[in-house]
Amino acid sequence: MNDLAEPAPLSTLAALLTPEGRALLDEVRGTRPEQELGVATRLRRDHPAGLVSAALGQARLRQRAAAKFGAVDAERMFFTPNGVEQSTRATVAAYRAERFRALGVTSVADLCCGIGGDAIALARAGIRVLAVDRDPLTAAVARANAAALGLSELIEVREADVTDVDTAPYDAVFVDPARRGGRGRVFDPEAYSPPLSWAVGAARGAPHAALKIAPGIPHETVPAEAGAEWISDGGDVKEAVLWFGAGAGTGTGTDTVPGPGTVRATLLPGPRTLTGRGLPDPPVRPVGDYLYEPDGAVIRAHLVAEVAEEVGGGLLDATIAYVTADELRPTEYATAYRITDRLPFNVKKLKALLREREVGVLTVKKRGSAVEPEELRRKVKPQGPNAATVFLTRVAGAPTMLIGHPAQPA
């Protein structure tokens, strides 16, 4: 992705890449926020103040990046604030790189490469990468990261406008358009940089292609010749991907990518993949003994019906993505809860029930309710040694509280 409006100058990055800069980075590694002033004061006696500040800033970014890239890689890499925020999580990038490798792809044009997260994953899968970004600093950071991780022979970084790049020599194209502007997140795909229509055109001209898009993209905007995949990692929805080109299959296995018109949800770690079968919406039915909360990727992919069929259940409400059933069945695509109580929405009644059950650890989940979990938690003041989960939702249109706990298969 293009990393725009980044204030750090190229000269600062260059200084950090010198032996003095690298030594400073090693020295400030692991510095906690409350230690920064003292560490800066000490180091400025022997080093330029600007370089010390840059090293401490980079140390903070590396600490933040560890959640996405892992501590080992993050401690060797270089980051910008936008780069940390917008880069692909390493587990997701590795999954996508493996999909390319399984298609027989040996070279990829990575357009809008950002700080190089996807390029790194592709290179580690043995794929040669042209990584392109128009921002000089971002391209320089991507180049530094390829070198830091010993991948320079497989990753060529080019500072250029992606619309000017000839992708014909490459087996595949990967495009990650910038989805943030001066006013924050961009929701209109045609306001991406570059626009989604341009990215689709680039994909159509390649033997294989993948376009990373926001997971909230309307299904009706997905081109007919693309397969769509929603990906979550650890239960958090991370992105959607549009797959184009030869080699796309039905999407029923993790060794393929979804073919034209196919929709699927992939859950990491795993991968565990659920493919749409065009099922009708599940029926609304009375609350059963169990509630199933589908993974966010399943919901975004509109595959709740597939989960309902798998567990033999139906919906609590026609507009709510909670599935209820009378028995516990194993599923990889939803979390099951045993429901012990059903109440009309009433804070006083909930507070009394929790006091009676001695519930001090309360998990509040909501879907179809305007009540904020923290607000409810403050009002009921849970106390005691026991734990419970309350679902604020609608049942056949009526505001309802369902109380229960995670269910474990027998």
Side-chain angles (χ1 to χ4, degrees):
M1 64 196 76
N2 289 333
D3 195 348
L4 306 178
E6 172 54 50
L10 278 167
S11 58
T12 300
L13 175 63
L16 289 173
L17 293 172
T18 65
E20 181 182 13
R22 292 180 184 276
L24 271 176
L25 287 171
D26 288 339
E27 191 160 354
V28 302
R29 178 181 297 143
T31 300
R32 298 190 299 272
E34 67 272 17
Q35 298 174 317
E36 286 190 359
L37 180 58
V39 170
T41 300
R42 174 174 57 82
L43 292 177
R44 283 169 181 164
R45 296 170 188 155
D46 302 308
H47 303 280
L51 183 58
V52 171
S53 295
L56 285 168
Q58 194 61 220
R60 287 194 300 271
L61 292 174
R62 286 176 167 181
Q63 290 168 14
R64 285 172 52 194
K68 280 191 174 183
F69 291 89
V72 174
D73 279 354
E75 286 296 342
R76 293 187 289 166
M77 294 172 66
F78 296 85
F79 298 97
T80 65
N82 284 351
V84 172
E85 182 178 353
Q86 299 179 34
S87 56
T88 303
R89 183 180 288 261
T91 49
V92 178
Y95 163 75
R96 183 166 42 244
E98 177 57 27
R99 299 284 67 73
F100 272 125
R101 190 202 63 77
L103 288 170
V105 168
T106 61
S107 61
V108 172
D110 178 3
L111 308 181
C112 311
C113 68
I115 61 171
D118 283 284
I120 289 165
L122 290 164
R124 283 177 166 168
I127 297 171
R128 181 171 55 87
V129 185
L130 170 66
V132 183
D133 202 287
R134 71 182 180 187
D135 178 66
L137 175 63
T138 304
V141 171
R143 191 175 294 111
N145 286 335
L149 299 179
L151 298 170
S152 294
E153 290 188 2
L154 283 171
I155 301 175
E156 174 195 348
V157 179
R158 185 181 303 174
E159 179 193 329
D161 190 310
V162 296
T163 62
D164 295 330
V165 175
D166 179 14
T167 62
Y170 298 87
D171 295 340
V173 168
F174 172 64
V175 191
D176 182 4
R179 294 179 296 281
R180 286 185 179 273
R183 297 183 178 180
R185 192 178 299 276
V186 172
F187 296 97
D188 178 7
E190 284 309 295
Y192 291 176
S193 179
L196 180 61
S197 57
W198 179 89
V200 169
R204 286 170 173 157
H208 309 280
L211 310 183
K212 177 180 171 181
I213 55 176
I217 188 169
H219 281 227
E220 58 268 22
T221 65
V222 175
E225 70 268 41
E229 179 177 34
W230 278 260
I231 302 173
S232 68
D233 187 21
D236 295 328
V237 182
K238 293 302 177 184
E239 62 183 57
V241 184
L242 303 184
W243 293 95
F244 295 77
T250 62
T252 56
T254 56
D255 58 339
T256 65
V257 298
T262 303
V263 174
R264 77 183 192 183
T266 294
L267 285 56
L268 303 176
R272 295 160 287 155
T273 295
L274 179 65
T275 300
R277 301 192 300 280
L279 299 179
D281 291 339
V284 175
R285 52 149 292 169
V287 178
D289 290 337
Y290 295 92
L291 181 147
Y292 293 85
E293 181 183 28
D295 183 271
V298 171
I299 296 172
R300 292 285 194 177
H302 298 179
L303 300 180
V304 174
E306 279 71 9
V307 169
E309 183 182 72
E310 193 170 273
V311 302
L315 298 179
L316 295 174
D317 183 276
T319 63
I320 304 294
Y322 282 141
V323 174
T324 187
D326 295 321
E327 59 184 65
L328 182 60
R329 296 186 185 178
T331 176
E332 296 183 298
Y333 307 107
T335 303
Y337 295 83
R338 175 68 187 266
I339 299 302
T340 57
D341 301 270
R342 170 187 172 180
L343 301 170
F345 181 80
N346 186 299
V347 175
K348 288 185 178 180
K349 289 184 178 180
L350 177 63
K351 186 175 182 178
L353 185 146
L354 296 176
R355 185 186 302 115
E356 176 186 334
R357 305 277 172 84
E358 296 185 306
V359 171
V361 180
L362 181 65
T363 300
V364 182
K365 293 176 174 287
K366 70 166 194 168
R367 192 161 289 157
S369 171
V371 178
E372 291 300 325
E374 285 305 318
E375 176 189 353
L376 181 67
R377 202 176 279 109
R378 283 195 302 269
K379 288 181 177 179
V380 300
K381 300 176 183 177
Q383 293 181 352
N386 299 321
T389 300
V390 58
F391 294 88
L392 307 178
T393 187
R394 295 194 302 271
V395 173
T400 303
M401 301 182 297
L402 301 177
I403 297 90
H405 52 79
Q408 299 296 329

